[in-house]
Amino acid sequence: MVLKESASQTAGPYVHIGCVPSFAGLEDMYGGVDPGSVMVTGEPAGRRIAFTGAVFDGEGAPLCDALIEVWQADGQGNHGPSNGFTGWGRQPSDGGTGAFRFDTIKPGAVDGQAPHLSLWIVARGINLGLHTRAYFDDEAEANAADSVLRLAGERAGTMIARTTPEGFHMDIYLQGDNETVFLDV
Amino acid sequence: MTLPEIAPRDRDWHPPALAPAYRSSVLRAPRHAPLRFDHTASELTGPVFGQDGIGPDDADLLINYARPGETAQGARIVVHGRLLDEGGRPVPGKLIEIWQANAGGRYRHKKDGYLAPLDPNFGGCGRCVTGPDGAYAFRTVAPGPYPWPNGGNDWRPAHIHFSVFGDGFAQRLITQMYFEGDPHIPLCPIVQSIPRADAVDRLVARLDMEATVPMDIRAYRFDIVLRGRDATIFENRMEGT
């Protein structure tokens, strides 16, 4: 390697201007559609789900200025855009409650891993984007065999989303007793 | 499946999660070390963005929010450079997004209440896709410094935020670009969260007189480096090599 990676810096509180401009108040920028806001563009195979959650700080307060990205396989376990599905989503946390929501499909298993979403979280106060995963609580058998969950040991449960009427929900704790497992990706 | 490997991240080069002088990091820093594991297709692949959907003026912040015939107020600049990997190879076809304050240091964001006024002809965001040689360029105005509530009398250096995609989700990066000679750089707790001076220096764009257009616009040069990609094939990797 002849060069070093550019050092990370926080996304800051106004990340929305560049990444989800409509949410920042720039309604007409980029045709009025924020990049990553729509993951399902057609009729992809697979189960439609809402993936919801919120991100909390070390005192239990929700982050109302976070940006969350999802990268995931399609319903057959293949990455990359296919058949009405982008595989990539980006959403801000709600400016009042901190809640986020992705309307997506449940991914298939990839390379022998349990089905999962890859998550990337940036915000004011986060100096280097945080990677984690969301697994699913209705995949107990696959989860038990998943190598990343095994490495996480007794903290693995922090990466397992729970079933809701619409899909799955996973809260993310940056710090404290229930701290989510973050990955050295 | 055959995917290029992505080199491990040198976490001593990046700012630590907890940098107490940057107060917002105190409650937002994980206490556990991040969990190491071997990359899978989930990390080695990532979203692909082509020119589809990118508007002709998306990279020109002088006019992409301006009324017809008008332009943003402030010192006109080109910000250009190349997207490279740690092997020094160009990274073509990748999305770069930027955002910044206006010439007076005011962001067009519903939560920014700074006294400096908004510019009706400046939105503050832009995007482009890198060319075959990894090159990118934006036209914009030089952003102003602005005060921020970190305690005391803290002012951000003039800066432009960059969001960059690579081939794999593992390469996803957000950083900030600063301007050569800005005396706020050594005073800023966000800049100084980076442990090494040479890592900070790499985030400082240089005045580029060669690319300046006489009687029109000055230029700054800023190269961005993503984590290295090896040519080896991860599924066939020899153990211990």
Side-chain angles (χ1 to χ4, degrees):
Chain A
M1 299 297 174
V2 298
L3 298 171
K4 293 285 281 187
E5 183 186 14
S6 299
S8 175
Q9 292 270 262
T10 179
Y14 307 127
V15 59
H16 314 100
I17 296 171
C19 293
V20 283
S22 294
F23 183 82
L26 286 74
E27 282 85 0
D28 297 326
M29 192 59 68
Y30 305 154
V33 179
D34 290 332
S37 58
V38 179
M39 298 178 74
V40 177
T41 56
E43 296 294 331
R47 177 184 159 204
R48 300 279 287 267
I49 60 168
F51 174 66
T52 57
V55 186
F56 297 91
D57 73 12
E59 289 184 341
L63 271 63
C64 298
D65 53 11
L67 187 78
I68 300 100
E69 290 188 0
V70 162
W71 174 241
Q72 65 165 99
D74 65 15
Q76 284 83 43
N78 298 309
H79 285 97
S82 64
N83 298 328
F85 183 64
T86 70
W88 175 71
R90 178 152 78 184
Q91 293 288 339
S93 61
D94 183 88
T97 67
F100 65 77
R101 176 190 176 103
F102 292 86
D103 289 299
T104 184
I105 57 176
K106 193 176 176 198
V110 180
D111 288 351
Q113 306 177 81
H116 62 274
L117 309 174
S118 295
L119 306 179
W120 186 71
I121 300 150
V122 294
R124 170 177 65 86
I126 296 176
N127 289 323
L128 176 62
L130 296 169
H131 287 271
T132 186
R133 288 180 170 191
Y135 292 85
F136 303 98
D137 69 353
D138 62 349
E139 299 278 358
E141 190 176 339
N143 290 345
D146 185 89
S147 59
V148 173
L149 287 174
R150 283 188 174 185
L151 282 171
E154 62 185 12
R155 299 176 59 218
T158 65
M159 290 190 286
I160 297 179
R162 61 178 166 76
T163 297
T164 69
E166 293 183 297
F168 295 90
H169 183 97
M170 189 172 108
D171 287 331
I172 295 161
Y173 296 91
L174 298 182
Q175 185 188 98
D177 292 343
N178 300 317
E179 185 174 308
T180 300
V181 172
F182 296 103
L183 302 173
D184 186 3
V185 163
Chain B
M1 188 183 304
T2 57
L3 295 166
E5 287 191 27
I6 296 173
R9 178 166 264 160
D10 179 355
R11 288 177 172 264
D12 294 330
W13 175 260
H14 290 278
L18 177 61
Y22 174 29
R23 291 191 178 184
S24 292
S25 75
V26 172
L27 290 175
R28 295 183 171 197
R31 294 291 190 249
H32 288 87
L35 182 69
R36 284 297 302 271
F37 68 109
D38 291 334
H39 283 158
T40 73
S42 303
E43 293 73 41
L44 298 174
T45 61
V48 176
F49 304 92
Q51 291 291 347
D52 291 355
I54 305 286
D57 297 331
D58 283 2
D60 190 344
L61 286 70
L62 292 173
I63 60 170
N64 72 9
Y65 194 81
R67 291 183 288 248
E70 302 191 21
T71 64
Q73 294 185 30
R76 296 158 57 83
I77 59 170
V78 170
V79 175
H80 75 118
R82 289 206 300 161
L83 182 64
L84 305 168
D85 68 18
E86 290 178 309
R89 291 176 291 243
V91 185
K94 296 295 178 280
L95 181 67
I96 298 179
E97 300 163 299
I98 67 168
W99 65 102
Q100 64 170 91
N102 69 21
R106 175 75 183 272
Y107 282 97
R108 186 174 288 280
H109 189 287
K110 54 193 177 185
K111 288 190 176 177
D112 186 5
Y114 181 37
L115 298 169
L118 288 169
D119 175 352
N121 291 309
F122 187 71
C125 65
R127 61 181 179 176
C128 68
V129 172
T130 57
D133 54 353
Y136 77 89
F138 293 96
R139 296 206 317 164
T140 186
V141 295
Y146 65 88
W148 57 297
N150 191 52
N153 182 20
D154 286 311
W155 294 72
R156 294 303 323 282
H159 64 278
I160 298 176
H161 297 265
F162 276 72
S163 167
V164 185
F165 289 81
D167 294 314
F169 206 51
Q171 288 168 298
R172 194 76 180 83
L173 181 70
I174 278 182
T175 188
Q176 300 184 29
M177 183 201 100
Y178 305 98
F179 290 84
E180 183 176 11
D182 188 334
H184 286 290
I185 291 171
L187 303 177
C188 177
I190 289 177
V191 177
Q192 299 304 324
S193 67
I194 298 172
R196 289 178 51 155
D198 50 350
V200 171
D201 186 62
R202 289 269 315 288
L203 300 185
V204 179
R206 265 43 180 199
L207 178 66
D208 180 2
M209 287 303 291
E210 282 190 19
T212 286
V213 180
M215 304 305 290
D216 179 357
I217 192 164
R218 291 182 305 145
Y220 280 86
R221 168 96 193 194
F222 182 58
D223 289 339
I224 306 159
V225 179
L226 295 177
R227 293 165 69 181
R229 300 165 300 163
D230 285 338
T232 48
I233 303 307
F234 85 105
E235 283 195 338
N236 298 330
R237 176 182 51 193
M238 299 291 287
E239 289 297 325
T241 62

